[in-house]
């Protein structure tokens, strides 16, 4: 296990990083800079810059700072209270610089950082010197992880995940522990799959098939080590075999009582009528595959690890599983197991991440993370009304577009976004290249839809984009343009919301339930109106104006692309007005300038959003204000290494990823096999 000196060094390393977070921000958060300011100054700053809208009887957005400050004097807001939710909203708006509005007097950087630190530490009671790994929820393997683990453990290559009901999602991802529940139907499916897989493994081993590394660890063990004839040697061999399989299935060394029960089960089956050694092993394997220890990711703390603040280090077997399910969506391989056994995985984590990202199994991370973060999973099933989109645009136009917008194009759209993400990740390129790269992955069908010539064949390949192509970065990807449209027209609201939620990390609140559709809000006068005019009518209601002021300019910047992601012709684009302004005050003329703004002046917002999304995916829970110190450490590290791989490294080195709560660990009763 990890030596005491290594544990202390790791915690010291985390604290050193914390002190350097954003330089001034860390000082504020730790209270050091606050000592040089009068204790009342943050309150005075809040009143000075926010008072006209939120003090002295004003409470825009239901934020009454007078009431909040009065309640603060009585103690920290209770968890889940309206006061806490209001303070979190204040903190997020200050952090994103969306409040005060750009046309109002605004605090300078030191003042804003002082306010952020005041709300985070003095009001919300977040102590960066006492790391909080957050609440740990026992996580069931989701469909993708379960299918991949069955494949890598046993070599059973049927896609068993298709036999399981769909997983629920939370915070945009299907890796969230609290929504991965277990129903009677799911238990029945798992038992059926366990029996079917074990029967296949036994049949393969009985036929003495040649060892194939792609057939899984269990099959290799059975074929490489046939049982001896001697009874005593056979019993020892059986126990060793079951131990080796259980260690892999449970992703950590099996405990003696559980091993005894599994061996007894195998012996009983072997002694039954017609039983064989292999069928006994198969019975034990069935029990393993239906066990909570296989279906759930059960984690333990590092033995004798000193607690740091509210958390304690997870042990290296737990770390191996966290890394493998984060980057591969499957169980650890032999190298990760070996390093965990030797207590060297944490020390060699950096090199292991590089190895894992380069491995083809990381394609699962790309597909699963990108598919949910950027919604590319939805591309191939998105309803599209081609006739409605192109009705009235010339005889035969609908037929030609239907032929151009084929199912092959939909698949290519999804692959374009996934392959670009994988390329930026594996080549160590800046994360902002996702937004502004003038290269992308195309094949002939997709290039034809985009109007780009010189691409032949169905194979996706990396190409340099012509300057006049109107393409470059995620905001011009057909996948994103398609999933953010309605079936028969574009939707600036959906596109603007997508940018705010997935690229800037500043989503507006949900709309009121009484808000009518766009055409109804336009008062029945939508036939000849431009999209911008329709949007202006739609947000004439004061209840809608504040949120639409954030979303609409961003979505309208993408109006040069139609509902299937095709760049409109000059004739079709006549009257489309794309200039706009971010809530933080920066202006842009079109989608390219918008992407450049997000990748440039608002780069930290994009990095924060990407970090929070990836951290949510990796740790299986939502990220909240208590994770701010961990997120800020990652953001500071990106100042030196702004690569997409740097984000992955930062997430894997963070307190929420490396630690678990020091109290109330999630465990199963020892009786569970």
């Amino acid at each position: 296990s990890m030596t005491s000196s290594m544990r202390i060094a790791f915690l010291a390393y985390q604290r050193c990083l914390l002190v350097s977070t954003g330089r001034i921000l860390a000082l504020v958060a730790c209270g050091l800079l606050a000592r040089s300011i009068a204790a009342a100054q943050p309150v005075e700053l809040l009143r000075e810059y926010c008072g006209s809208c939120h003090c002295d009887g004003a409470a825009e957005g239901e934020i009454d700072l007078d009431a909040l400050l009065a309640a603060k004097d009585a103690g920290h807001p209770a968890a889940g209270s309206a006061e806490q939710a209001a303070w979190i909203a204040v903190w997020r708006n200050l952090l994103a610089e969306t409040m005060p509005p750009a046309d109002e007097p605004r605090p300078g950087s030191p003042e804003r950082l002082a306010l952020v630190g005041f709300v985070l530490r003095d009001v919300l009671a977040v102590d960066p010197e006492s790391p909080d790994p957050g609440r740990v929820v026992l996580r069931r393997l989701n469909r993708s992880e379960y299918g991949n683990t069955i494949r890598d453990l046993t070599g059973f290559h049927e896609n068993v995940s298709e036999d399981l009901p769909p997983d629920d999602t939370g915070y945009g991802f299907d890796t969230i522990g609290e929504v991965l529940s277990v129903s009677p139907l799911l238990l029945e499916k798992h038992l059926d799959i366990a029996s079917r897989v074990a029967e296949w493994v036994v049949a393969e081993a009985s036929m003495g098939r040649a060892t194939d590394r792609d057939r899984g660890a269990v099959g290799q063990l059975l074929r490489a080590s046939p049982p001896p004839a001697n009874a005593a040697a056979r019993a020892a061999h059986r126990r060793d075999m079951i131990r080796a399989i259980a260690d892999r299935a449970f992703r950590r060394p099996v405990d003696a009582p559980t091993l005894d029960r599994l061996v007894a089960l195998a012996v009983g089956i072997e002694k039954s009528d017609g039983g064989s050694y292999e069928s006994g092993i198969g019975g034990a394997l069935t029990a393993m595959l239906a066990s909570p220890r296989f279906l759930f990711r059960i984690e333990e703390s590092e033995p004798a690890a000193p607690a740091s603040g509210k958390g304690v280090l997870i042990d290296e077997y737990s770390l191996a599983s966290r890394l493998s399910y984060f980057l591969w969506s499957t169980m650890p391989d032999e190298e990760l197991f070996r390093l965990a056994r030797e207590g060297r995985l944490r020390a060699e984590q950096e090199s292991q991440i590089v190895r894992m990202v380069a491995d083809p199994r990381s394609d699962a991370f790309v597909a699963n993370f990108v598919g949910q973060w950027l919604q590319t999973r939805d591309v191939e099933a998105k309803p599209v009304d081609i006739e409605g989109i192109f009705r009235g645009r010339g005889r035969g136009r609908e037929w030609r577009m239907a032929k151009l917008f084929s199912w092959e194009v939909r698949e290519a759209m999804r692959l374009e976004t996934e392959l670009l993400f994988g390329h930026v990740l594996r080549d160590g390129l800046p994360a902002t290249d996702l937004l502004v790269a003038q290269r992308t992955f195309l094949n002939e069908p997709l290039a034809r839809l985009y109007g780009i010539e010189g691409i032949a064949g169905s194979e996706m390949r990396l190409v340099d984009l012509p300057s006049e192509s109107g393409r470059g970065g995620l905001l011009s990807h057909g996948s994103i343009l398609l999933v953010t449209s309605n079936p028969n027209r574009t939707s600036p609201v959906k596109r603007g919301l997508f940018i705010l939620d997935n690229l800037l990390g500043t989503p507006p609140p949900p709309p009121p339930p009484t808000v009518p559709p766009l055409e109804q809000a336009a008062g029945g006068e939508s036939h000849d109106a431009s999209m911008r005019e329709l949007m202006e009518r739609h947000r004439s209601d004061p209840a809608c104006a504040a949120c639409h002021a954030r979303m609409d300019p961003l979505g309208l910047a993408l109006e040069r692309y139609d509902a299937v992601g095709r760049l409109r012709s000059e004739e079709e684009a006549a009257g489309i007005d794309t200039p706009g302004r971010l809530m933080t005050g920066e202006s842009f003329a079109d989608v390219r300038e918008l992407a450049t703004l997000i990748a440039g002046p608002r780069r930290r917002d994009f990095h924060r959003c990407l970090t929070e999304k990836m951290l949510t995916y990796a740790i299986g829970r939502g990220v909240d204000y208590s994770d701010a110190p961990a997120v800020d450490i990652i953001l500071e590290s990106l100042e030196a290494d702004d690569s997409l791989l740097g984000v992955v490294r930062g997430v894997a080195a963070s307190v929420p990823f490396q630690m678990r709560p020091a109290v109330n660990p999630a465990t199963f009763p020892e009786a569970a096999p």
Side-chain angles (χ1 to χ4, degrees), residues 572-590:
E572 293 171 322
I576 290 179
D577 193 14
T578 59
R581 190 176 74 153
L582 295 177
M583 285 295 293
T584 46
E586 298 91 344
S587 298
F588 53 86
D590 52 27

Side-chain angles (χ1 to χ4, degrees), residues 140-322:
R140 171 177 62 78
L141 301 182
N142 64 25
R143 294 174 74 204
S144 173
E145 294 166 342
Y146 177 83
N148 293 342
T149 304
I150 288 286
R151 177 201 66 208
D152 292 341
L153 178 67
T154 68
F156 190 74
H157 278 269
E158 286 185 27
N159 188 3
V160 297
S161 62
E162 294 182 352
D163 297 336
L164 302 176
D167 294 312
D168 290 331
T169 61
Y171 305 98
F173 297 101
D174 62 8
T175 59
I176 306 302
E178 62 188 353
V179 302
L180 290 171
S181 57
V182 179
S183 65
L185 173 63
L186 188 61
L187 283 176
E188 182 180 336
K189 293 290 187 180
H190 281 149
L191 283 168
D192 177 66
I193 292 170
S195 298
R196 182 154 47 99
V197 170
E199 288 176 5
W200 178 86
V201 169
V202 169
E204 291 283 295
S206 300
M207 289 187 289
R209 300 273 178 96
T211 300
D212 179 345
R213 71 179 186 88
D214 292 329
R215 290 186 181 277
V218 173
Q220 291 187 50
L221 285 169
L222 289 172
R223 287 186 293 273
S225 181
N230 178 273
R234 189 182 185 90
H237 183 274
R238 180 190 300 106
R239 188 176 184 86
D240 290 343
M241 180 68 66
I242 292 175
R243 177 189 290 110
I245 297 172
D247 286 352
R248 295 297 302 268
F250 299 157
R251 302 176 287 277
R252 65 173 54 254
V254 62
D255 59 274
T258 300
L259 179 59
D260 289 341
R261 290 192 291 272
L262 291 170
V263 170
L265 176 63
V267 170
I269 292 174
E270 185 175 345
K271 289 181 177 179
S272 64
D273 293 341
S276 65
Y277 177 87
E278 290 79 12
S279 62
I281 298 294
L285 177 60
T286 301
M288 294 179 211
L289 297 182
S291 166
R293 297 173 189 257
F294 174 78
L295 299 174
F296 288 83
R297 290 169 52 184
I298 302 174
E299 298 180 337
E300 297 182 9
S301 302
E302 184 72 27
S308 175
K310 301 174 184 177
V312 62
L313 286 174
I314 58 173
D315 74 345
E316 298 222 341
Y317 288 104
S318 301
L319 179 59
S321 285
R322 285 196 181 187

Side-chain angles (χ1 to χ4, degrees), residues 368-427:
N368 292 330
F369 175 66
V370 174
Q372 296 174 88
W373 170 42
L374 299 177
Q375 302 173 23
T376 56
R377 278 187 177 183
D378 302 334
V379 169
E380 290 165 86
K382 174 75 176 182
V384 176
D385 179 8
I386 290 290
E387 182 178 350
I389 294 172
F390 295 99
R391 183 179 292 117
R393 298 192 184 180
R395 189 174 181 181
R397 184 70 177 277
E398 298 93 335
W399 180 85
R400 290 194 300 272
M401 282 307 305
K403 186 175 181 181
L404 191 62
F405 184 67
S406 62
W407 291 107
E408 188 178 9
V409 166
R410 288 179 181 245
E411 181 185 27
M413 283 179 170
R414 174 181 60 80
L415 289 174
E416 177 191 16
T417 305
E418 293 175 3
L419 289 170
L420 179 65
F421 184 94
H423 169 68
V424 172
L425 174 65
R426 290 167 181 139
D427 281 29

